[in-house]
C-alpha cells in the first residue's frame, strides 16, 4: 500500500524552508571561513541550505500530490477562538508575570492557551494549568534557580 502524502507535507515543507532561510540568514553574522579553515558560521549556513533543499522537496511533493476526496489545503473555516487564545497566552504570561509573578503567569498562559482547543472545557484547562504551573515553578524556581519572583502581589 503506497504512502499517501497529505496536506501536512505542504505545511511541513513550507515551515522547513522558512526555518532554513532564517538559519542561513542568521549564519551571515558569523565568519564562514573557507573549506580548508571552516569558520563558526559554516555549519549553520550549510544546515540552512540543506533545510531549504529538503523542505523544498517536501513542499513540492505536498503540492504535486492530488488531494483526496473532501481534503483541503486550507481549513474550511478559520478557528478564530483558537487563534485568539493561543496568541493571548503569551500576552497573559507577560502581563501576569510583571504584576503577579511567575506562578500566576504560567497559570494564565497555559489556561488561556488551552481554551483555544475546541474540545477544551474550563475545568480541563484549569487542571492542566495547575499541573503545568506546579511543574514549571518547581523547575524554574528550585531546580534552575531562575531569578524571577514566584509571587508578586499588586501593581
Amino acid at each position: 500500500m503506497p504512502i499517501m502524502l497529505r496536506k501536512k507535507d505542504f505545511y511541513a515543507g513550507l515551515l522547513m524552508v522558512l526555518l532554513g532561510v532564517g538559519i542561513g540568514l542568521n549564519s551571515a553574522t558569523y565568519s564562514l571561513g573557507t573549506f580548508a579553515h571552516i569558520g563558526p558560521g559554516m555549519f549553520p549556513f550549510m544546515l540552512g541550505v540543506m533545510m531549504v533543499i529538503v523542505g523544498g522537496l517536501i513542499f513540492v511533493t505536498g503540492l504535486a500530490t492530488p488531494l483526496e476526496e473532501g481534503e483541503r489545503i486550507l481549513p474550511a473555516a478559520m478557528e478564530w477562538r483558537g487563534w485568539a487564545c493561543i496568541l493571548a497566552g503569551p500576552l497573559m504570561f507577560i502581563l501576569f508575570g510583571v504584576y503577579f509573578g511567575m506562578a500566576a503567569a504560567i497559570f494564565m498562559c497555559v489556561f488561556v492557551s488551552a481554551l483555544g482547543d475546541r474540545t477544551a472545557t474550563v475545568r480541563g484547562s484549569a487542571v492542566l494549568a495547575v499541573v503545568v504551573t506546579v511543574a514549571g515553578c518547581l523547575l524554574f524556581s528550585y531546580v534552575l534557580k531562575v531569578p524571577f519572583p514566584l509571587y508578586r502581589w499588586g501593581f
Side-chain angles (χ1 to χ4, degrees), residues 70-107:
E71 186 179 26
R72 301 170 48 107
I73 295 282
L74 296 175
M78 289 300 294
E79 296 285 337
W80 294 112
R81 175 183 167 196
W83 278 95
C85 288
I86 290 174
L87 292 175
L91 295 175
M92 291 290 118
F93 182 83
I94 294 168
L95 180 71
F96 277 74
V98 168
Y99 295 113
F100 299 109
M102 183 169 48
I106 293 173
F107 179 85

Side-chain angles (χ1 to χ4, degrees), residues 21-134:
V21 168
I23 290 170
L25 290 174
N26 192 26
S27 71
T29 60
Y30 300 108
S31 170
L32 290 177
T34 63
F35 285 116
H37 301 286
I38 295 176
M42 184 63 76
F43 179 75
F45 177 74
M46 294 308 264
L47 178 67
V49 168
M50 293 303 296
M51 285 182 72
V52 167
I53 291 170
V54 172
L57 291 173
I58 293 170
F59 179 77
V60 167
T61 56
L63 280 179
T65 303
L67 296 174
E68 293 178 1
E69 186 69 31
E71 186 179 26
R72 301 170 48 107
I73 295 282
L74 296 175
M78 289 300 294
E79 296 285 337
W80 294 112
R81 175 183 167 196
W83 278 95
C85 288
I86 290 174
L87 292 175
L91 295 175
M92 291 290 118
F93 182 83
I94 294 168
L95 180 71
F96 277 74
V98 168
Y99 295 113
F100 299 109
M102 183 169 48
I106 293 173
F107 179 85
M108 286 305 294
C109 178
V110 174
F111 180 72
V112 170
S113 296
L115 288 175
D117 183 13
R118 71 175 83 117
T119 61
T121 63
V122 173
R123 181 174 184 246
S125 298
V127 169
L128 176 66
V130 167
V131 169
V132 172
T133 300
V134 169

Side-chain angles (χ1 to χ4, degrees), residues 136-154:
C137 289
L138 289 174
L139 175 69
F140 289 111
S141 289
Y142 300 110
V143 176
L144 298 177
K145 308 263 190 251
V146 174
F148 193 76
L150 194 56
Y151 299 105
R152 180 184 300 157
W153 302 109

